[in-house]
Each structure stands twice: as C-alpha cells, then as structure tokens.
Amino acid sequence: MDLQKLFGLEGRVALITGGSKNLGRHMAEGFIAAGAKVYITSRKAADCEKTASELGPNCIALPMDVSTVEGCRALAAAFAEKEAKLDILVNNAGAAWGAEFEDFPEAGWDKVMDLNVKGPFFLTQSLYPALKAAASVAQPAKVINIGSIDGIRLNPWETYSYHASKSAILYLTKRMAARLVRDQINVTAIAPGLLHQT
Ligand SMILES: NC(=O)c1ccc[n+]([C@@H]2O[C@H](COP(=O)([O-])OP(=O)(O)OC[C@H]3O[C@@H](n4cnc5c(N)ncnc54)[C@H](OP(=O)(O)O)[C@@H]3O)[C@@H](O)[C@H]2O)c1
C-alpha cells in the first residue's frame, strides 16, 4: 500500500483558520508533514507568526479576524496576492460561551454565531475563485468545516449558542456541499470530541 499516494499532500496549498494553536496547529503540522504548503490565520498576529516560524518554511502566517465579512474578504485578498489556487480550506476557528440560562447575553450569541457559522460561509464564499481554480474531477478541492460532538448531542454545560452553532455548521456543510460539488469542491465536516489542550 502506497500511503504517500493515499494521504500525501505534495504540491497542495491549504489554509487553516485558527491555526495558531491547539487543533488548528495540529492540523497544520500534519498537513505540512504530508507535503502541503499551509497558510494559517488567527487574530493575534504575533502568535500566528510564532507558530508559523515554529512549523517551518512551509507554514505562512496571514493574521486576520474571520468572524466578519470584511475580515473574510481581506483574508481572501491577502491570500490571492500569494497564491492563485487553494486546494484545501479548513474552517477551524471557533469560540464557545457558557452562561446560566437567565443571564445568557446577546453578545454570547453574536460572538459564537459570527465565528462558528457566518465566518465559514463567508470565508468559503470569499475564497471560491481560488478553490475553483484548484478543483478538478481527478482532484477535487476540499472545504473541511470543524464542527463538534456538541452539535450532535448535549454536553453537561449551559453553552446554548455553541450547541446551536455546532449543529448549524453540520447542516450548513450539507447545503454548501450540495452546491459546490458542481464545481468539484467537496465540502465536509468533522465533529471532534473533547481534546486535551496544549
Ligand atoms: N478543543 C476541543 O475540545 C474541541 C472539541 C470539539 C470541537 N472543537 C472545535 O475545534 C475548533 C478548534 O478548537 P480549539 O480548542 O483548538 O480552539 P482554541 O484553542 O480556542 O483556538 C482557537 C483558534 O482560533 C483563533 N481564533 C479565534 N477567534 C478568531 C477569529 N475571530 N478570527 C480568526 N481566528 C480566530 C485563535 O487565535 P486568536 O485568538 O489569535 O484569534 C486560535 O488560533 C473549534 O471550532 C472548536 O469549536 C474543539
């Protein structure tokens, strides 16, 4: 069995949101080990650049806030200055908010839905030309949305907007997949369980 042929990413370009730490950083490390060139983004430029320098020459920092439409468009524009095509987009950046039912604030909805649901939609839309440029029948482009087990079953905490957002991203993935498959762009989601933070 040729594992490099099955799982190798030689020559591919990836962009991972929230790539400066934890899950996003691990994915960047894995993609680079498989041969990809990986762009990572996060709001704190210093952290983003530190991670990129630690992961080596095939990791490039493009710091940006992907919770706003302007941020998504600015990130796509900055990416377009460096690359003509994007093989893999990982919409990983996410946030949670916990508060008791009686006190749960509107800010706890806006922050979580903007980053976990609206961001993946508008970033994919902004990068659509670059994804289409990479996509072919033989090798489709990929959009991977990071959901959560909390979008499928209840956790014990009062994370109202997080549960709703992670459920929403799973269904949004289906809606986008049904449309973008026409352009040889495969949209899928992963729903991780609890990870140990490093
Ligand atoms: N950790 C878990 O146990 C777990 C379990 C299931 C699912 N997940 C999901 O997996 C994903 C990653 O989780 P994680 O625990 O690795 O997250 P994390 O440790 O909180 O890291 C979040 C990353 O996203 C970046 N980020 C946050 N807000 C951003 C914004 N507005 N624009 C751009 N980047 C932003 C952060 O950097 P800055 O702060 O510098 O922006 C950081 O790089 C999330 O979608 C999460 O819901 C996590």
Side-chain angles (χ1 to χ4, degrees):
M1 196 191 309
D2 185 346
L3 290 181
Q4 185 56 29
K5 199 171 167 195
L6 275 176
F7 299 112
L9 296 175
E10 207 64 53
R12 312 262 190 112
V13 176
L15 171 59
I16 302 177
T17 69
S20 66
K21 60 180 185 173
N22 291 321
L23 186 57
R25 180 187 167 122
H26 288 305
M27 288 190 282
E29 218 169 340
F31 282 17
I32 290 164
K37 184 192 214 182
V38 178
Y39 290 81
I40 57 170
T41 196
S42 66
R43 289 164 306 174
K44 296 179 200 94
D47 291 356
C48 200
E49 271 145 23
K50 183 168 179 284
T51 297
S53 71
E54 286 167 3
L55 297 190
N58 282 329
C59 191
I60 300 112
L62 281 182
M64 204 67 73
D65 182 346
V66 293
S67 69
T68 67
V69 178
E70 301 75 50
C72 292
R73 291 190 179 143
L75 177 59
F79 178 81
E81 279 177 21
K82 297 190 175 292
E83 302 287 343
K85 66 179 187 71
L86 175 62
D87 296 280
I88 306 163
L89 168 63
V90 185
N91 287 310
N92 163 74
W97 192 302
E100 300 213 351
F101 180 67
E102 301 92 311
D103 305 321
F104 204 96
E106 186 175 8
W109 278 97
D110 292 343
K111 177 177 176 165
V112 170
M113 295 304 279
D114 282 355
L115 182 60
N116 297 8
V117 184
K118 203 176 81 178
F121 179 84
F122 282 108
L123 186 59
T124 307
Q125 186 192 60
S126 303
L127 288 164
Y128 183 44
L131 288 162
K132 269 198 292 191
S136 68
V137 173
Q139 190 172 280
K142 307 279 170 66
V143 176
I144 302 165
N145 293 326
I146 304 303
S148 167
I149 188 73
D150 293 348
I152 299 170
R153 62 99 180 96
L154 282 183
N155 71 38
W157 306 293
E158 292 188 80
T159 52
Y160 299 97
S161 56
Y162 186 72
H163 269 305
S165 75
K166 290 299 179 180
S167 224
I169 191 69
L170 297 183
Y171 219 88
L172 177 61
T173 298
K174 294 185 191 189
R175 181 59 261 167
M176 289 170 68
R179 167 61 186 85
L180 296 186
V181 73
R182 287 172 13 203
D183 300 303
Q184 286 79 50
I185 301 168
N186 292 349
V187 186
T188 57
I190 296 173
L194 188 62
L195 304 162
H196 291 288
Q197 311 279 321
T198 51

